[in-house]
Amino acid sequence: MIKLIAFDLDGTIGETVPMCIRAFEQAVSPYAGRTLSEREITQTFGLNEVGMIKVVAGEKWREALHDFYPVYEQMHDECPEPYEGIRELIHTLKDAGILVALITGKGEKSCRITLEKFGMQDLFCSVKTGAEDRPNKAEAIEELLDAYHVAKDEFYYIGDAVSDVTACKKADVPCLSAAWGTTADISGLEEANPSRVFFSIEDLSHFLLHLREGT
């Protein structure tokens, strides 16, 4: 019986990855002394924005971080809504008595901006954000399981990245891979998480609801 489901944010709940990259490039490049490439930026994914900026801006990270947030918030107007159907899925899960949490690599402030833009700030039973010095999703999963007294086979994590699969394996919990975003690495997800890759929110909804009905 599934008691708790946690969602990733960027690329799973909303098409925010391209906007995140553009905001990072615009705000942080002046402090890095060069125009940051998409590859340089994505290589820092897994850390929160503080850690990401420290990697590329060095001693000027505080100034870069100060500039990042208003740029991020302004650019979020390009992505004002989550993926169609994701709110409905979360409400359906909650109505079925399943706890729904959020585990993201984003920092607390950028996470809050995105949830407020999406009108989802009060939708989750718990919100776990990223660390600046290491990927911490496996730790966050374990903290959630402990806090809500949920067994590992009563939990699913839903994320769009291969690193999400890795974190779930580390925490010894199942991962459902979200491949509906434009930035999803489909071949990587299919290799890392075979038979658990979903190409639409509708397909994931059917899987979770049938799973619920069968328990």
Side-chain angles (χ1 to χ4, degrees):
M1 180 178 179
I2 300 303
K3 295 183 178 179
L4 173 60
I5 293 175
F7 285 80
D8 173 44
L9 182 50
D10 295 318
T12 300
I13 284 177
E15 186 70 14
T16 48
V17 176
M19 177 269 298
C20 291
I21 292 171
R22 290 195 302 273
F24 196 90
E25 178 187 353
Q26 179 176 318
V28 183
S29 288
Y31 298 97
R34 64 188 184 284
T35 300
L36 295 167
S37 68
E38 181 174 329
R39 185 170 181 272
E40 283 181 286
I41 296 168
T42 57
Q43 281 181 331
T44 67
F45 281 8
L47 307 178
N48 66 19
E49 59 266 17
V50 177
M52 291 172 65
I53 290 173
K54 281 184 174 181
V55 169
V56 297
E59 294 180 355
K60 298 180 179 179
W61 70 268
R62 290 180 181 82
E63 297 96 321
L65 185 66
H66 179 269
D67 286 358
F68 171 77
Y69 289 118
V71 172
Y72 179 83
E73 187 165 10
Q74 181 180 11
M75 283 194 174
H76 222 306
D77 292 339
E78 302 171 14
C79 184
E81 296 289 337
Y83 290 120
E84 184 176 354
I86 199 73
R87 275 201 199 96
E88 291 79 3
L89 171 58
I90 292 171
H91 282 298
T92 298
L93 294 172
K94 292 175 68 174
D95 289 345
I98 297 173
L99 295 166
V100 181
L102 183 78
I103 299 176
T104 176
K106 300 175 84 71
E108 182 179 347
K109 186 169 181 177
S110 64
C111 177
R112 183 173 69 251
I113 290 169
T114 293
L115 291 180
E116 288 177 353
K117 289 284 186 179
F118 287 169
M120 300 175 74
Q121 63 269 35
D122 300 317
L123 205 52
F124 301 99
C125 66
S126 179
V127 174
K128 298 283 187 179
T129 53
E132 67 178 73
D133 59 341
R134 68 197 184 284
N136 70 334
K137 285 188 177 181
E139 296 170 38
I141 290 169
E142 291 167 357
E143 289 171 2
L144 269 184
L145 297 178
D146 183 62
Y148 290 96
H149 308 289
V150 172
K152 292 185 176 184
D153 61 357
E154 297 172 328
F155 172 85
Y156 275 121
Y157 183 67
I158 301 166
D160 68 308
V162 173
S163 60
D164 295 326
V165 181
T166 303
C168 286
K169 287 179 179 177
K170 184 176 180 181
D172 193 27
V173 296
C175 182
L176 304 179
S177 292
W180 48 76
T182 61
T183 55
D185 176 6
I186 293 174
S187 62
L189 290 173
E190 289 180 328
E191 180 178 353
N193 203 24
S195 78
R196 287 182 170 176
V197 180
F198 296 85
F199 297 94
S200 71
I201 293 168
E202 183 179 13
D203 286 345
L204 175 65
S205 300
H206 288 158
F207 172 83
L208 291 173
L209 295 178
H210 289 163
L211 184 73
R212 178 67 181 177
E213 291 168 1
T215 58

